[in-house]
Amino acid sequence: MDIVSISDIYYDTVKTNKYIEIKGWVRNRRSSKSGITFIDVYDGSYLHTIQVVAYCSLSNYYEEIIKITVGCSIIISGILIKSIGRKQLYEVNAREIKIIGWIKNPSTYPMSSKKHSLEHLREYSHLRPRTSFIRAISRIRNCLFHTLHQLLDKYGYYWIATPIITGLNSEGGGEMFKVSTLDFSNIPMKNNGKVDFKKDFFGRESFLSVSGQLSLEAYACALSKVYSFGPTFRAENSNTSRHLAEFWMLEVETAFSKLNDLISLSEHILQYSVNVILEQCQVDIEFFKNTLDENIVVRLQEFSNRKFIKIEYKEVIDILKKSSQFSNQKIFLGMDLSSDHEKYIVEKHFRFPTIIINYPRSLKAFYMKLNENGNTVAAMDLLVPTIGEILGGSEREEKLDILDKRFLEFKLNKDSYWWYRDLRKYGTVPHSGFGLGFERFLSYIIGVKNIKDVSPFPRTMNNSNI
Protein backbone atom coordinates (compact mmCIF):
# COMPACT_ATOMS: atom_id res chain seq x y z
CA MET A 1 0.00 0.00 0.00
CA ASP A 2 1.35 3.43 -1.01
CA ILE A 3 0.86 6.53 1.15
CA VAL A 4 0.04 9.28 -1.34
CA SER A 5 -1.03 12.92 -1.42
CA ILE A 6 -4.01 14.27 -3.31
CA SER A 7 -1.65 16.17 -5.62
CA ASP A 8 0.00 12.84 -6.52
CA ILE A 9 -3.38 11.61 -7.71
CA TYR A 10 -4.31 14.69 -9.74
CA TYR A 11 -0.87 14.93 -11.34
CA ASP A 12 -1.26 11.31 -12.50
CA THR A 13 1.69 9.90 -10.56
CA VAL A 14 -0.57 7.28 -8.96
CA LYS A 15 -2.27 4.59 -11.04
CA THR A 16 -5.95 3.82 -10.59
CA ASN A 17 -7.16 0.47 -9.19
CA LYS A 18 -4.33 0.63 -6.70
CA TYR A 19 -4.53 0.24 -2.92
CA ILE A 20 -3.50 3.55 -1.33
CA GLU A 21 -3.56 5.49 1.92
CA ILE A 22 -4.49 9.18 2.24
CA LYS A 23 -4.22 11.37 5.32
CA GLY A 24 -6.19 14.60 5.56
CA TRP A 25 -9.15 16.59 6.84
CA VAL A 26 -12.86 16.45 6.09
CA ARG A 27 -14.28 19.24 3.95
CA ASN A 28 -17.75 17.79 3.64
CA ARG A 29 -19.76 14.64 4.41
CA ARG A 30 -23.02 13.36 2.92
CA SER A 31 -24.71 10.17 4.08
CA SER A 32 -27.57 8.38 2.33
CA LYS A 33 -30.29 6.19 3.77
CA SER A 34 -29.00 3.33 1.61
CA GLY A 35 -25.88 3.02 3.76
CA ILE A 36 -23.35 4.97 1.71
CA THR A 37 -21.39 8.00 2.91
CA PHE A 38 -19.45 10.37 0.69
CA ILE A 39 -16.59 12.27 2.34
CA ASP A 40 -14.67 15.10 0.66
CA VAL A 41 -11.11 15.16 1.96
CA TYR A 42 -8.28 17.66 1.52
CA ASP A 43 -4.64 17.42 2.57
CA GLY A 44 -3.35 20.85 1.45
CA SER A 45 -1.28 19.56 -1.45
CA TYR A 46 -3.86 20.44 -4.11
CA LEU A 47 -6.78 22.79 -4.56
CA HIS A 48 -9.39 20.08 -5.07
CA THR A 49 -10.57 17.51 -2.57
CA ILE A 50 -10.74 13.76 -3.16
CA GLN A 51 -14.07 12.02 -2.70
CA VAL A 52 -14.04 9.00 -0.41
CA VAL A 53 -16.89 6.49 -0.69
CA ALA A 54 -17.63 4.61 2.54
CA TYR A 55 -20.11 1.73 2.71
CA CYS A 56 -22.03 0.59 5.74
CA SER A 57 -20.07 -2.68 5.66
CA LEU A 58 -17.14 -0.88 7.28
CA SER A 59 -16.80 -1.94 10.91
CA ASN A 60 -17.01 1.59 12.37
CA TYR A 61 -19.60 2.96 9.93
CA TYR A 62 -22.48 3.57 12.35
CA GLU A 63 -20.37 4.26 15.43
CA GLU A 64 -18.02 6.81 13.83
CA ILE A 65 -18.14 7.40 10.07
CA ILE A 66 -21.67 8.82 9.90
CA LYS A 67 -20.80 11.10 12.82
CA ILE A 68 -17.82 12.68 11.06
CA THR A 69 -18.09 16.47 10.76
CA VAL A 70 -16.25 19.16 8.81
CA GLY A 71 -12.70 19.57 10.12
CA CYS A 72 -12.16 16.05 11.45
CA SER A 73 -8.78 14.54 10.61
CA ILE A 74 -8.88 11.04 9.14
CA ILE A 75 -6.76 8.35 7.49
CA ILE A 76 -8.32 6.45 4.60
CA SER A 77 -7.14 3.19 3.12
CA GLY A 78 -8.81 2.04 -0.08
CA ILE A 79 -8.82 1.56 -3.84
CA LEU A 80 -8.28 4.57 -6.10
CA ILE A 81 -10.70 4.48 -9.04
CA LYS A 82 -11.92 6.79 -11.80
CA SER A 83 -15.12 8.41 -10.61
CA ILE A 84 -18.38 7.90 -12.47
CA GLY A 85 -19.62 11.21 -11.09
CA ARG A 86 -19.34 14.47 -12.97
CA LYS A 87 -18.00 16.59 -10.12
CA GLN A 88 -14.71 14.76 -9.64
CA LEU A 89 -12.19 12.78 -11.66
CA TYR A 90 -11.23 10.28 -8.96
CA GLU A 91 -12.57 8.75 -5.81
CA VAL A 92 -11.39 6.30 -3.20
CA ASN A 93 -13.42 3.21 -2.41
CA ALA A 94 -12.69 3.01 1.31
CA ARG A 95 -11.64 -0.24 2.94
CA GLU A 96 -10.79 1.37 6.28
CA ILE A 97 -11.29 4.85 7.79
CA LYS A 98 -9.61 5.91 11.02
CA ILE A 99 -10.76 9.08 12.74
CA ILE A 100 -7.67 10.72 14.26
CA GLY A 101 -9.08 14.01 15.55
CA TRP A 102 -12.70 14.94 16.21
CA ILE A 103 -14.21 18.43 16.22
CA LYS A 104 -15.21 18.82 19.84
CA ASN A 105 -18.12 21.17 19.24
CA PRO A 106 -19.12 21.31 15.53
CA SER A 107 -21.64 24.12 16.11
CA THR A 108 -18.86 26.51 17.20
CA TYR A 109 -16.27 25.45 14.58
CA PRO A 110 -15.33 28.74 12.81
CA MET A 111 -14.30 27.09 9.52
CA SER A 112 -17.51 25.36 8.48
CA SER A 113 -17.98 24.39 4.84
CA LYS A 114 -20.00 27.51 4.02
CA LYS A 115 -18.32 30.50 2.34
CA HIS A 116 -16.73 32.91 4.81
CA SER A 117 -15.79 36.55 4.34
CA LEU A 118 -12.13 37.58 4.41
CA GLU A 119 -12.93 39.72 7.45
CA HIS A 120 -14.16 36.60 9.26
CA LEU A 121 -11.04 34.65 8.28
CA ARG A 122 -8.76 37.37 9.68
CA GLU A 123 -10.28 36.73 13.10
CA TYR A 124 -8.98 33.14 12.99
CA SER A 125 -5.51 33.28 11.45
CA HIS A 126 -4.65 29.96 13.11
CA LEU A 127 -7.64 28.17 11.50
CA ARG A 128 -8.03 29.99 8.19
CA PRO A 129 -5.44 27.79 6.39
CA ARG A 130 -8.22 25.19 6.43
CA THR A 131 -10.06 27.16 3.73
CA SER A 132 -9.44 26.70 0.01
CA PHE A 133 -8.76 30.43 -0.34
CA ILE A 134 -5.89 30.61 2.14
CA ARG A 135 -4.41 27.27 1.10
CA ALA A 136 -4.27 28.47 -2.51
CA ILE A 137 -2.53 31.66 -1.41
CA SER A 138 -0.05 29.62 0.62
CA ARG A 139 0.87 27.41 -2.32
CA ILE A 140 1.44 30.41 -4.60
CA ARG A 141 3.43 32.16 -1.85
CA ASN A 142 5.64 29.09 -1.52
CA CYS A 143 6.18 28.92 -5.29
CA LEU A 144 7.07 32.62 -5.48
CA PHE A 145 9.49 32.35 -2.55
CA HIS A 146 11.43 29.46 -4.10
CA THR A 147 11.36 31.01 -7.57
CA LEU A 148 13.06 34.18 -6.35
CA HIS A 149 15.76 32.21 -4.54
CA GLN A 150 16.37 29.90 -7.50
CA LEU A 151 16.55 32.73 -10.04
CA LEU A 152 19.04 34.77 -8.03
CA ASP A 153 21.15 31.66 -7.45
CA LYS A 154 21.11 31.00 -11.20
CA TYR A 155 22.45 34.52 -11.82
CA GLY A 156 25.28 34.12 -9.34
CA TYR A 157 23.85 36.03 -6.39
CA TYR A 158 24.87 34.93 -2.91
CA TRP A 159 22.32 34.81 -0.11
CA ILE A 160 23.39 36.78 2.98
CA ALA A 161 21.69 36.57 6.37
CA THR A 162 21.54 40.23 7.39
CA PRO A 163 20.90 41.17 11.04
CA ILE A 164 17.37 41.40 12.37
CA ILE A 165 18.61 43.30 15.44
CA THR A 166 20.44 46.54 14.68
CA GLY A 167 21.60 49.79 16.21
CA LEU A 168 20.99 51.77 13.01
CA ASN A 169 18.00 52.99 11.06
CA SER A 170 18.66 52.12 7.43
CA GLU A 171 16.06 54.59 6.22
CA GLY A 172 17.23 57.50 8.37
CA GLY A 173 13.70 58.13 9.58
CA GLY A 174 10.47 56.43 10.57
CA GLU A 175 9.49 54.48 13.64
CA MET A 176 11.38 51.37 14.75
CA PHE A 177 10.59 48.68 17.29
CA LYS A 178 12.97 48.80 20.22
CA VAL A 179 14.70 45.63 21.45
CA SER A 180 15.48 45.58 25.16
CA THR A 181 15.93 43.35 28.20
CA LEU A 182 15.49 46.22 30.65
CA ASP A 183 12.93 45.84 33.41
CA PHE A 184 10.18 48.27 32.45
CA SER A 185 9.15 48.62 36.09
CA ASN A 186 12.66 49.71 37.08
CA ILE A 187 14.32 51.37 34.08
CA PRO A 188 17.89 52.63 34.78
CA MET A 189 18.16 56.37 34.15
CA LYS A 190 21.05 58.78 33.61
CA ASN A 191 21.42 62.03 35.53
CA ASN A 192 20.04 63.90 32.51
CA GLY A 193 16.81 61.93 32.75
CA LYS A 194 17.46 59.71 29.71
CA VAL A 195 17.46 55.90 29.73
CA ASP A 196 20.86 54.36 30.49
CA PHE A 197 21.11 51.86 27.65
CA LYS A 198 24.62 50.86 28.73
CA LYS A 199 22.87 48.58 31.22
CA ASP A 200 20.81 46.98 28.47
CA PHE A 201 21.77 43.66 26.84
CA PHE A 202 23.61 45.21 23.88
CA GLY A 203 24.98 48.14 25.84
CA ARG A 204 23.22 50.59 23.54
CA GLU A 205 19.79 51.38 22.14
CA SER A 206 18.82 48.62 19.69
CA PHE A 207 15.97 48.00 17.27
CA LEU A 208 14.34 45.49 14.96
CA SER A 209 15.66 46.14 11.49
CA VAL A 210 13.61 48.07 8.93
CA SER A 211 15.98 46.86 6.20
CA GLY A 212 19.08 44.72 5.77
CA GLN A 213 20.37 46.98 3.02
CA LEU A 214 23.30 48.66 4.77
CA SER A 215 24.68 45.32 5.95
CA LEU A 216 24.09 43.85 2.51
CA GLU A 217 26.17 46.62 0.93
CA ALA A 218 29.18 45.42 2.93
CA TYR A 219 28.97 42.04 1.23
CA ALA A 220 28.18 43.50 -2.19
CA CYS A 221 31.51 45.34 -1.93
CA ALA A 222 33.27 42.00 -1.60
CA LEU A 223 31.14 39.36 -3.33
CA SER A 224 29.76 41.64 -6.07
CA LYS A 225 26.25 40.14 -6.23
CA VAL A 226 24.30 39.44 -3.04
CA TYR A 227 20.77 39.37 -1.68
CA SER A 228 18.85 38.87 1.55
CA PHE A 229 15.34 37.59 2.05
CA GLY A 230 13.70 37.81 5.41
CA PRO A 231 11.40 39.65 7.81
CA THR A 232 11.63 43.40 8.36
CA PHE A 233 9.77 45.56 10.83
CA ARG A 234 8.14 49.00 10.70
CA ALA A 235 6.39 50.56 13.69
CA GLU A 236 4.23 52.73 11.46
CA ASN A 237 0.90 54.00 12.75
CA SER A 238 -0.76 52.79 9.54
CA ASN A 239 -3.52 50.25 9.90
CA THR A 240 -4.30 50.15 6.18
CA SER A 241 -4.79 47.49 3.53
CA ARG A 242 -1.19 48.07 2.33
CA HIS A 243 0.78 48.04 5.58
CA LEU A 244 2.10 45.41 7.96
CA ALA A 245 4.28 45.88 11.02
CA GLU A 246 6.18 42.71 10.10
CA PHE A 247 6.67 41.78 6.47
CA TRP A 248 9.12 39.94 4.24
CA MET A 249 11.42 41.74 1.87
CA LEU A 250 13.75 40.62 -0.89
CA GLU A 251 16.76 42.93 -1.01
CA VAL A 252 19.32 42.76 -3.82
CA GLU A 253 22.66 44.59 -4.02
CA THR A 254 25.00 44.58 -7.03
CA ALA A 255 28.48 46.08 -7.30
CA PHE A 256 29.49 48.03 -10.42
CA SER A 257 25.80 48.62 -11.14
CA LYS A 258 23.91 51.74 -12.25
CA LEU A 259 20.24 52.72 -12.15
CA ASN A 260 19.43 51.34 -15.60
CA ASP A 261 21.04 48.01 -14.63
CA LEU A 262 18.91 47.99 -11.53
CA ILE A 263 15.73 48.65 -13.49
CA SER A 264 16.49 45.87 -15.99
CA LEU A 265 17.28 43.36 -13.23
CA SER A 266 14.19 44.13 -11.14
CA GLU A 267 11.91 44.05 -14.18
CA HIS A 268 13.30 40.69 -15.27
CA ILE A 269 13.01 39.15 -11.79
CA LEU A 270 9.38 40.20 -11.42
CA GLN A 271 8.31 39.16 -14.91
CA TYR A 272 10.13 35.84 -14.71
CA SER A 273 8.51 35.08 -11.35
CA VAL A 274 5.02 35.78 -12.67
CA ASN A 275 5.64 33.50 -15.65
CA VAL A 276 6.63 30.70 -13.28
CA ILE A 277 3.48 31.24 -11.22
CA LEU A 278 1.34 31.07 -14.37
CA GLU A 279 3.03 27.84 -15.36
CA GLN A 280 3.35 26.01 -12.05
CA CYS A 281 0.26 27.24 -10.18
CA GLN A 282 -2.34 26.94 -12.93
CA VAL A 283 -4.99 25.26 -10.77
CA ASP A 284 -4.73 27.84 -8.00
CA ILE A 285 -4.67 30.74 -10.47
CA GLU A 286 -7.81 29.33 -12.09
CA PHE A 287 -9.41 29.20 -8.64
CA PHE A 288 -8.74 32.91 -8.13
CA LYS A 289 -10.00 33.63 -11.63
CA ASN A 290 -13.33 32.08 -10.65
CA THR A 291 -13.57 33.57 -7.17
CA LEU A 292 -11.65 36.84 -7.06
CA ASP A 293 -10.37 38.32 -10.33
CA GLU A 294 -11.73 37.07 -13.63
CA ASN A 295 -9.02 39.05 -15.44
CA ILE A 296 -6.10 37.55 -13.49
CA VAL A 297 -4.58 35.46 -16.31
CA VAL A 298 -4.73 38.23 -18.93
CA ARG A 299 -3.42 40.74 -16.39
CA LEU A 300 -0.45 38.58 -15.38
CA GLN A 301 0.37 37.65 -18.96
CA GLU A 302 0.51 41.32 -19.91
CA PHE A 303 2.61 42.08 -16.81
CA SER A 304 5.16 39.42 -17.71
CA ASN A 305 5.43 40.20 -21.43
CA ARG A 306 5.27 43.98 -21.75
CA LYS A 307 7.95 46.52 -20.80
CA PHE A 308 7.07 48.55 -17.74
CA ILE A 309 6.38 52.26 -18.19
CA LYS A 310 9.40 54.38 -17.14
CA ILE A 311 8.95 58.05 -16.32
CA GLU A 312 10.82 60.85 -14.55
CA TYR A 313 9.44 62.24 -11.31
CA LYS A 314 9.23 65.72 -12.88
CA GLU A 315 7.10 64.28 -15.71
CA VAL A 316 4.75 62.80 -13.12
CA ILE A 317 4.31 66.27 -11.62
CA ASP A 318 3.42 67.64 -15.07
CA ILE A 319 0.80 64.91 -15.54
CA LEU A 320 -0.74 65.61 -12.13
CA LYS A 321 -0.86 69.35 -12.83
CA LYS A 322 -2.88 68.72 -16.00
CA SER A 323 -5.31 66.36 -14.28
CA SER A 324 -8.70 67.77 -13.30
CA GLN A 325 -8.77 65.29 -10.42
CA PHE A 326 -6.21 67.40 -8.53
CA SER A 327 -7.33 70.84 -9.65
CA ASN A 328 -8.00 71.84 -6.04
CA GLN A 329 -4.53 70.76 -4.88
CA LYS A 330 -1.21 72.53 -5.12
CA ILE A 331 1.01 70.32 -7.29
CA PHE A 332 4.67 71.32 -7.38
CA LEU A 333 8.19 69.98 -7.93
CA GLY A 334 9.61 68.65 -4.70
CA MET A 335 6.30 67.47 -3.24
CA ASP A 336 5.96 63.94 -1.95
CA LEU A 337 3.57 61.80 -3.97
CA SER A 338 0.53 60.64 -2.01
CA SER A 339 -1.13 57.28 -2.53
CA ASP A 340 -3.86 59.08 -4.50
CA HIS A 341 -1.25 60.57 -6.82
CA GLU A 342 0.39 57.20 -7.35
CA LYS A 343 -2.96 55.50 -7.97
CA TYR A 344 -3.86 58.08 -10.58
CA ILE A 345 -0.57 57.60 -12.45
CA VAL A 346 -0.62 53.80 -12.45
CA GLU A 347 -4.37 53.08 -12.59
CA LYS A 348 -5.86 55.90 -14.64
CA HIS A 349 -3.11 57.52 -16.67
CA PHE A 350 -0.92 54.57 -17.73
CA ARG A 351 -3.04 51.68 -16.46
CA PHE A 352 0.07 49.54 -16.23
CA PRO A 353 3.04 49.03 -13.88
CA THR A 354 5.07 52.22 -13.84
CA ILE A 355 8.64 52.97 -12.75
CA ILE A 356 9.23 56.51 -11.48
CA ILE A 357 12.87 57.62 -11.45
CA ASN A 358 15.06 60.53 -10.31
CA TYR A 359 13.22 61.81 -7.25
CA PRO A 360 14.12 65.05 -5.44
CA ARG A 361 16.92 64.48 -2.94
CA SER A 362 14.75 65.71 -0.07
CA LEU A 363 12.25 62.86 -0.55
CA LYS A 364 14.66 59.95 -0.41
CA ALA A 365 17.07 58.33 2.05
CA PHE A 366 20.58 59.59 2.82
CA TYR A 367 22.33 56.69 1.08
CA MET A 368 20.90 57.37 -2.39
CA LYS A 369 23.36 58.71 -4.96
CA LEU A 370 23.01 62.31 -6.05
CA ASN A 371 22.62 62.90 -9.76
CA GLU A 372 24.92 65.39 -11.49
CA ASN A 373 22.35 68.17 -11.11
CA GLY A 374 22.65 67.86 -7.34
CA ASN A 375 18.90 68.20 -6.94
CA THR A 376 17.74 64.64 -7.56
CA VAL A 377 18.85 61.14 -6.66
CA ALA A 378 19.28 58.11 -8.92
CA ALA A 379 16.30 56.30 -7.42
CA MET A 380 13.37 54.27 -8.68
CA ASP A 381 9.97 53.18 -7.38
CA LEU A 382 7.83 50.58 -9.12
CA LEU A 383 4.08 51.13 -8.82
CA VAL A 384 1.45 48.57 -9.78
CA PRO A 385 -2.34 48.97 -10.04
CA THR A 386 -4.46 48.44 -6.88
CA ILE A 387 -1.39 48.03 -4.65
CA GLY A 388 0.88 51.00 -5.27
CA GLU A 389 4.60 50.75 -4.63
CA ILE A 390 5.96 47.20 -4.43
CA LEU A 391 9.65 47.84 -5.15
CA GLY A 392 12.08 50.67 -4.50
CA GLY A 393 15.75 51.02 -5.22
CA SER A 394 18.61 53.32 -6.08
CA GLU A 395 22.24 53.73 -6.82
CA ARG A 396 24.11 54.04 -3.52
CA GLU A 397 26.31 57.04 -2.79
CA GLU A 398 29.85 55.66 -2.99
CA LYS A 399 31.73 58.96 -2.43
CA LEU A 400 32.63 59.52 1.21
CA ASP A 401 32.63 63.32 1.13
CA ILE A 402 29.16 63.47 -0.39
CA LEU A 403 27.85 60.79 1.99
CA ASP A 404 29.11 62.81 4.97
CA LYS A 405 27.22 65.85 3.70
CA ARG A 406 24.09 63.74 3.43
CA PHE A 407 24.46 62.69 7.06
CA LEU A 408 24.46 66.38 7.99
CA GLU A 409 21.48 67.02 5.73
CA PHE A 410 19.47 64.30 7.51
CA LYS A 411 20.84 65.27 10.95
CA LEU A 412 22.37 61.84 11.43
CA ASN A 413 25.46 61.18 13.54
CA LYS A 414 28.05 59.95 11.04
CA ASP A 415 30.05 58.31 13.84
CA SER A 416 27.16 55.89 14.34
CA TYR A 417 27.68 54.82 10.72
CA TRP A 418 31.45 54.41 11.07
CA TRP A 419 31.54 50.96 9.50
CA TYR A 420 29.28 52.09 6.63
CA ARG A 421 31.71 54.95 5.98
CA ASP A 422 34.58 52.44 5.95
CA LEU A 423 33.06 50.89 2.82
CA ARG A 424 33.69 54.25 1.10
CA LYS A 425 37.17 54.67 2.60
CA TYR A 426 38.58 51.30 1.56
CA GLY A 427 38.13 50.39 -2.11
CA THR A 428 34.82 52.15 -2.76
CA VAL A 429 32.83 51.04 -5.76
CA PRO A 430 29.63 52.19 -7.50
CA HIS A 431 26.79 49.88 -6.54
CA SER A 432 23.01 49.77 -6.47
CA GLY A 433 20.18 47.76 -5.01
CA PHE A 434 16.47 47.42 -4.46
CA GLY A 435 13.97 46.11 -1.95
CA LEU A 436 10.87 44.17 -3.00
CA GLY A 437 7.93 43.97 -0.62
CA PHE A 438 7.14 40.26 -0.87
CA GLU A 439 3.57 40.45 0.43
CA ARG A 440 2.72 43.42 -1.76
CA PHE A 441 4.00 41.62 -4.85
CA LEU A 442 2.03 38.54 -3.86
CA SER A 443 -1.10 40.65 -3.34
CA TYR A 444 -0.74 42.06 -6.83
CA ILE A 445 -0.24 38.63 -8.41
CA ILE A 446 -3.32 37.11 -6.79
CA GLY A 447 -5.50 40.21 -6.89
CA VAL A 448 -6.04 40.37 -3.13
CA LYS A 449 -6.66 43.95 -2.03
CA ASN A 450 -5.74 43.58 1.65
CA ILE A 451 -2.15 42.60 2.42
CA LYS A 452 -3.29 40.94 5.66
CA ASP A 453 -4.81 38.15 3.57
CA VAL A 454 -1.48 37.03 2.08
CA SER A 455 0.51 37.12 5.32
CA PRO A 456 0.19 33.86 7.29
CA PHE A 457 0.03 35.66 10.64
CA PRO A 458 -0.32 39.40 9.98
CA ARG A 459 1.19 41.77 12.50
CA THR A 460 -0.56 45.12 12.67
CA MET A 461 -1.42 47.74 15.28
CA ASN A 462 -3.01 46.12 18.36
CA ASN A 463 -2.50 42.68 16.85
CA SER A 464 0.48 40.58 17.90
CA ASN A 465 -1.35 37.57 19.25
CA ILE A 466 -1.41 34.50 17.02
Side-chain angles (χ1 to χ4, degrees), residues 188-211:
M189 307 296 289
K190 296 179 181 179
N191 292 333
N192 61 5
K194 293 184 177 181
V195 176
D196 186 1
F197 285 104
K198 287 186 178 180
K199 297 184 179 180
D200 207 348
F201 184 88
F202 292 107
R204 59 172 296 172
E205 194 171 14
S206 299
F207 311 90
L208 293 179
S209 177
V210 299
S211 168

Side-chain angles (χ1 to χ4, degrees), residues 339-408:
S339 59
D340 286 339
H341 297 145
E342 292 178 342
K343 286 178 67 175
Y344 176 82
I345 291 297
V346 75
E347 294 179 14
K348 294 185 178 180
H349 188 81
F350 290 117
R351 298 182 181 180
F352 195 69
T354 303
I355 296 173
I356 303 175
I357 64 172
N358 296 331
Y359 283 82
R361 62 187 291 170
S362 60
L363 299 182
K364 293 297 182 181
F366 68 91
Y367 53 74
M368 295 190 179
K369 184 177 178 62
L370 288 177
N371 288 319
E372 289 184 3
N373 60 27
N375 298 318
T376 61
V377 289
M380 61 166 287
D381 284 342
L382 172 61
L383 312 178
V384 297
T386 72
I387 303 299
E389 180 193 342
I390 64 169
L391 181 149
S394 74
E395 293 181 31
R396 314 311 190 189
E397 184 55 72
E398 84 276 11
K399 296 177 182 177
L400 181 60
D401 57 337
I402 297 179
L403 181 64
D404 283 345
K405 291 177 182 177
R406 295 286 275 167
F407 284 135
L408 288 173

Side-chain angles (χ1 to χ4, degrees), residues 45 71 87 121 136 149 152 156 164 175 191 208 237 247 288 332:
S45 66
K87 293 184 178 181
L121 297 185
H149 274 294
L152 287 165
I164 289 177
E175 294 296 323
N191 292 333
L208 293 179
N237 188 6
F247 57 95
F288 288 118
F332 58 94

Side-chain angles (χ1 to χ4, degrees), residues 1 117 220 275-276 374 390:
M1 179 174 61
S117 69
N275 268 323
V276 171
I390 64 169

